[in-house]
Amino acid sequence: GESVGLHLPTLSVQEGDNSIINCAYSNSASDYFIWYKQESGKGPQFIIDIRSNMDKRQGQRVTVLLNKTVKHLSLQIAATQPGDSAVYFCAESGTSGTYKYIFGTGTRLKVLA
Amino acid sequence: NAGVMQNPRHLVRRRGQEARLRCSPMKGHSHVYWYRQLPEEGLKFMVYLQKENIIDESGMPKERFSAEFPKEGPSILRIQQVVRGDSAAYFCASSPSGSQEQFFGPGTRLTVL
């Protein structure tokens, strides 16, 4: 289930189940969205991206869905594995022409064996 | 092709000292971004530089912080007269010209005693 921890919301998922991580973005003018995975003590690792002219994009075991109407982004991970345990951040870009990223607050994914 | 490199990986400073964080972008990348991350939070944009130019420094404190990306050599984020509140992980990302994709380094963890 999903719960709110001290700082980061945490999603606990049984190994082999599918995970869905949600993100609300702030700027309707953003045109590029990215999901990153961050393991403890490491930098963000690119997972998948999507442009605003699409509403769905699939990668290997991951799918990103974009709903521009409600400014919502989701990351679906199929057959979640222990190695998927990490903090996941969404980021938006495209405002002001500087390409800077605005990151969401993050969700901690815990995969239960 | 080596990824984005940052050094040092860990830096300890006493209050009032200076901290210098270095970032070598990926080969062929002329754009560098610096982000700061506090524990259990998302990354916050600080500054965006191209070779020899600061493009957007809207996220960088006006005092004590400065950044450069010289024609030759790494990008430097400099924090003068550090305070305990500067303790954080500082990440650098690089991108090729005209691209919104950013590739992140492993970060420098600054601890101010």
Side-chain angles (χ1 to χ4, degrees), chain B residues 3 5 12-13 23 33 36 56 61 65 70 77 90 98 108 110-111 113:
Chain B
M5 299 177 69
V12 179
R13 285 287 178 266
C23 169
Y33 301 79
R36 176 163 64 177
D56 181 348
F65 285 73
L77 179 67
Y90 292 83
T108 293
L110 172 66
T111 301
L113 301 178

Side-chain angles (χ1 to χ4, degrees), chain A residues 10-113:
Chain A
T10 298
L11 177 65
S12 298
V13 175
Q14 207 66 35
E15 181 179 356
D17 286 353
N18 297 334
S19 303
I20 299 176
I21 300 172
N22 297 302
C23 176
Y25 64 92
S26 57
N27 194 327
S28 55
S30 294
D31 62 1
Y32 180 60
F33 305 89
I34 319 96
W35 279 100
Y36 281 94
K37 172 186 180 183
Q38 187 177 28
E39 295 173 291
S40 182
K42 296 185 178 180
Q45 176 188 351
F46 173 90
I47 301 173
I48 191 168
D49 58 1
I50 188 168
R51 297 207 172 269
S52 58
N53 60 353
M54 302 173 70
D55 52 22
K56 180 180 179 178
R57 190 160 186 233
Q58 287 184 289
Q60 188 176 12
R61 275 202 313 121
V62 294
T63 301
V64 55
L65 299 177
L66 175 62
N67 185 330
K68 294 181 285 294
T69 303
V70 294
K71 293 191 287 187
H72 183 266
L73 200 64
S74 69
L75 176 70
Q76 299 177 4
I77 304 174
T80 312
Q81 301 169 0
D84 295 327
S85 292
V87 178
Y88 290 80
F89 293 99
C90 68
E92 58 182 299
S93 176
T95 59
S96 307
T98 69
Y99 297 162
K100 64 186 179 188
Y101 285 2
I102 299 172
F103 281 83
T105 52
T107 297
R108 187 183 305 282
L109 177 64
K110 287 188 177 178
V111 181
L112 308 172

Side-chain angles (χ1 to χ4, degrees), chain B residues 18-56:
Chain B
E18 179 180 287
R20 278 183 180 244
L21 288 63
R22 286 176 289 278
C23 169
S24 296
M26 288 179 69
K27 187 176 180 180
H29 288 191
S30 57
H31 297 206
V32 165
Y33 301 79
W34 285 94
Y35 295 84
R36 176 163 64 177
Q37 184 179 35
L38 296 173
E40 299 288 297
E41 293 188 11
L43 283 71
K44 298 286 195 295
F45 168 77
M46 296 181 73
V47 60
Y48 163 41
L49 309 104
Q50 295 177 17
K51 284 283 188 183
E52 300 184 280
N53 285 306
I54 296 175
I55 307 301
D56 181 348

